[in-house]
Amino acid sequence: MTTFKKFCKICKVIEETAGSLDMTSQVSELFSIVSTEELPIVTHFVMGEVFPAWSDEEVGVGIGLLLNALSKSSGLSVKQIEDILRETGDIGKTAVNTLSKMSKGQATFSSFLESQSELSIRDVFERFKNIAHATGKGSQTSKIKHLQYLFNLASVEEVGYIARLAIEDMRIGVGEGIVRDAIAKAFNVSVELVERGYMLTNDMGLVAVTAKEGGDEALLRLGVEVGRPIKLMLAQVTPNIETAIKDMGIVAAEWKFDGARVQIHKKKNEVTLYSRRLENITNSLPDLVTAIKKAVKADSAILDAEAVAIDENGRPKPFQEILKRFRRKYDVQTKAKHIPLTLNLFDIMYLNGENLIDLPLKKRREFLVSCIDYSENVYVANQVITSDLSILTDMYEQALKAGHEGIMLKNPDSPYSPGKRGKNWLKKKPVMETLDLVVIGAEWGYGRRTSFLGSYALACRDPETGRFLSVGKVATGISDEQLAELTELFREHIISESGTTVEIRPYILFEVAFEEIQKSKNYESGYALRFPRLVRVRDDKSVEEVDTLERVEEMYRTQRK
Ligand code: AMP
């Protein structure tokens, strides 16, 4: 059994380490000393996760609830703790400062003061599980009690990390890349196989245990499984259709539907649907579940599709309308009537016990077509295989005329590469290129907008260090109604506040258009956007999909030509 205190000591060292090689060594050391049972837990903990991203379980603790728990544990008021948070700018330090301010008279907290905790890693995980399982009426009180329990038992070294884990923001700089390399180092396995395992299972904890127990061979055996989402294959932009033909020779072209991605898992009569972020969205989409049960003639299958909301004229409704369906937790049937969805299937990764991802697209397509009964709202996307520019240009124009985004140009001989944005899938869209940037901060408004968050600070990612680098702010393109929606959306991701400035956990992406990219000393990236405007909220995309500094630099260079 490893104590949570030991885990926290290592986290502290990692937090104070700058280079990613040294960090990898420390994480690898951590993976080697914990037991096999503890390994998946620490794998997630170091990345600031309690459960794997795809799991239905979520901690469900926002900053408000956490401050409440700290207030109950310390006897300080929420207001006083908010002041500490403003000063420190970090919930971990806030928890330590707050609980250090307790009077010694409060007997229950003596363990904190004397640092006698013997919490194990497993104890902390089990408590978080209890927190996650507290739902419905009285759940807030129950979550607070569990947090208090942890705070009461924790030592000064542990309190900060418990607070950070509660809101799933560890701040020690460990991301997927470091964890991947650390697993390879700790268990002497190939980095590529760790990466492959992660793309297929979407679960670093499982990959770590597999590497530890069975090495490279076991990693190779990791496969696709119904009920465990696979990372999605992604597309690169192509400047024009000619380039795509030149690169691929012959292309498999489909419409690029204006909708939202859905990964479909079917086993017997059970259907599970995952969003682009690989969150389980089955309960929000009962109409699609029924339609899939009817249309998919397979015992088991994993399929890739775009869900589109069609209006009375057969044209796609705005993307935000679809997301309303995806996010809906109650009254889903009414919403299903208001915003009916159509599914356009374009790929298949698994069929009746067979993993198909290594087969070429044209072969997968045969399997896809063979297992679908066309129905009212489930289609296989039309596909044309050609190298004829005029046919493709025509198809592109048809797609735009029908209100869709453009076309996808795919290599017919390519495998399904989970999690890869490679050259085998290209997208051609007419709109000016935009950037997908992550929101890292905001400002409370003034006048009639005091209760709304506006002026959002944006960041791209430095691919070398994994750090987010600021690249400007966006305040235009946001309606009053949207401002209210966004304030609600971001409220649970607020990390700290200072005056009217709010720091936000990097979680939600904005697609931003702009007039130009300029060099700038005001932002960490070294660039700033001129006249940025919000195009849409990409809360279907995960934070790993944020555009990189390289892309910003490349756009800067190409605009100058
Ligand atoms: P983007 O979101 O701009 O990176 O473009 C890729 C997205 O286009 C995918 O994630 C899908 O959600 C969507 N899409 C629409 N139609 C297709 C299609 N026929 N094949 C693949 N992706 C598609």
Side-chain angles (χ1 to χ4, degrees), residues 115-178:
S115 300
Q116 282 170 346
S117 157
E118 269 314 317
L119 277 170
S120 69
I121 288 174
R122 177 112 227 143
D123 292 336
V124 175
F125 177 65
E126 290 300 330
R127 261 309 133 171
F128 275 121
K129 248 171 123 174
N130 290 339
I131 293 173
H133 293 172
T135 50
K137 210 165 156 238
S139 64
Q140 304 292 302
T141 319
S142 161
K143 282 178 196 273
I144 289 175
K145 284 214 172 107
H146 288 303
L147 283 171
Q148 271 184 275
Y149 173 91
L150 285 173
F151 288 141
N152 291 351
L153 280 185
S155 62
V156 73
E157 296 95 335
E158 295 164 300
V159 148
Y161 290 111
I162 290 176
R164 287 183 184 173
L165 268 178
I167 57 165
E168 301 193 273
D169 183 23
M170 273 302 259
R171 294 197 170 202
I172 57 172
V174 175
E176 284 164 9
I178 288 184

Side-chain angles (χ1 to χ4, degrees), residues 123 127 202 215 218 233 295 403 431 442 449 537:
D123 292 336
R127 261 309 133 171
N202 211 2
M233 182 159 175
V431 285
R449 290 186 162 186
V537 182

Side-chain angles (χ1 to χ4, degrees), residues 423-441:
K423 288 199 184 307
N424 284 327
W425 279 19
L426 300 175
K427 56 187 174 189
K428 169 74 191 122
K429 301 198 270 188
V431 285
M432 188 203 122
E433 278 189 58
T434 53
L435 281 169
D436 288 335
L437 298 168
V438 66
V439 175
I440 54 168

Side-chain angles (χ1 to χ4, degrees), residues 254-257 261 276 306 346 410 427 429:
E254 296 155 9
W255 280 11
K256 184 175 188 320
F257 300 98
R261 191 92 173 249
R276 180 180 178 126
E306 186 83 351
F346 53 76
K410 302 178 179 177
K427 56 187 174 189
K429 301 198 270 188

